[in-house]
Amino acid sequence: MLKPLLLLLLSAISHISIAIDFDKEIYLEEYQTSGISLADGSHWQYQTHYQLPINLDAVEQYAQNHRLEITIQEHTFSNRGGGGGCGHSPVCVILLPVYLLDMLSADEVTLDQVSFFRDGQWVMDLLYDKSGGHLARIQSDTLSIASSKLLSKTVIDSTDKAPLALSGELITILPQLHSQAELSQFNTEISQLRSQLVHSQQKQVQQKQAIALLKTTKLTVPQFMPLAEHWCSLNDSLMNYDLSSSPQQLLEYTAVISRGDQATKILDCVIQHPAIDNRGELDRLINLQERALTQWESYQAYEWHNQVRDFFTDYFPHKSTAALTQAHPLLSIYQRWYQSAEISSSDYIKLATEYQEISAPLRQKLTISTPNVLNARLTLASQGKYPPLPTLKQIHRAAPTIDSEQARALAELYWQNNYEIERFAFLPRQDKDFEKQAYILSLLVPLADDVRRTLPIPQGDTDAHIAWRVAMLNQEVEGLAELLALRPALDDRSPDRPETVSTRVDEQGNPTYAELIWHALSFNPERYQQIRHQREQLMEQQKQESWQDKGRAIWEQL
């Protein structure tokens, strides 16, 4: 067991020793620059601190000069992968400027892979394109490599030096980039190079390069934003930073920003800093966010909702004064909501009537159990702005405590005609007001007797009036059993199931069944059974009288 482990350890030491010796052997004191011509007529520059064969034709002579053995074989790669690089991992194939070569128009690319060995130990792989024989990729555990399309350059150096050098050059040419395509490419390349910066010292050097450019050059907003985002991303990965890399430095150069989304990106970088001196600029950026949110018509509802939530929870508390700069009704309602976690009935009604679509995510969070929300929903239903049934069903499920004012609102809703009679071809007519009234009875009957008796009841003898007197006032209705015997009956009623009350009506809008009355009786089971028994007796008596009348008529005919 010990012997294989020892052999493996010796092999690893031998490999590292050969790699270090070879690294020293091909190292150049100064950068060596060479170039190749691309198919479009442009030139690509290789800048390296290591002596490497840039062209496939030079490989054999290179191997002889450095006492290396080589093998050459074709290797096919998917051309859908990204660029950049991945440091000096021995298992990482690093893409050089292959995307500039003609061969990269295909989904897959076949390269000539040259593997170099010394004394049987692998040293590195260099890969060349088959069309021009140019160095396209490299695999090594000691070299750092980075490429830039904007600079038309590839830099090969030890460990992490290449990405730092190349990203520094990218920053210096930023003022010369103006088109959207150029700036987008800058953002892509600087992000790739940033991912290769490992040490804090390198990141701070890069930040100082960015600040130096800002001090000497006035950038446009499209130029400033990718540089600022790069600076902030470097700062996010620093464990500790000194004054030279403090986030508040960025506030000295943000005067060019005029949009809320741009302000948010800068604020995400600076607001967590424990001490910010430039409070005026910080307030200005927060005000830009506020102004953008007042233009809510340009947002999707949930997008706006999430941004307002973030604004009042993450950014607004950092403002010098807790006051909005604009008296915007919608934003003011949300400010009150996020400050107190409560909403008034008037605010809810305003949201539901004037800002219905944009405020939908917030209103969906507000439950009917909240008294102010319940009051607002009842007001909206009584005004005809909300259909009452959805609200009543929510109240029935939530079972909130109903006070006397809410009971009066429900009573007034009971007597309103909120639904038109629904007419469908070949189907019975329906009037949902009966289901609405059944729900309201289920909500009001459990209230105290003195509260129920103060609720309004207009004159009338409809089913709704009879049901009210039976359930709410506990009155004996003369001739009730006879009235119910004149209409067909359905299944037994339950006070807990108002949704089962039939809404079927005839051509004149009169209920086909007396289900609302039976629902009212169900709150008093004893009375319910008594009336049911009386109705059955009356129905049997009517049946007997009907047979007697038929017999008498036959006798008279005989």
Side-chain angles (χ1 to χ4, degrees), residues 304-314 334 338 365:
W304 189 85
H305 174 80
N306 292 337
Q307 290 198 22
V308 169
R309 177 200 61 206
D310 295 342
F311 174 72
F312 282 113
T313 57
D314 298 337
Y334 275 77
Y338 281 107
K365 291 176 56 178

Side-chain angles (χ1 to χ4, degrees), residues 495 521-530:
L521 287 167
S522 69
F523 293 101
N524 187 337
E526 183 178 349
R527 179 65 174 155
Y528 179 92
Q529 294 298 333
Q530 180 185 8

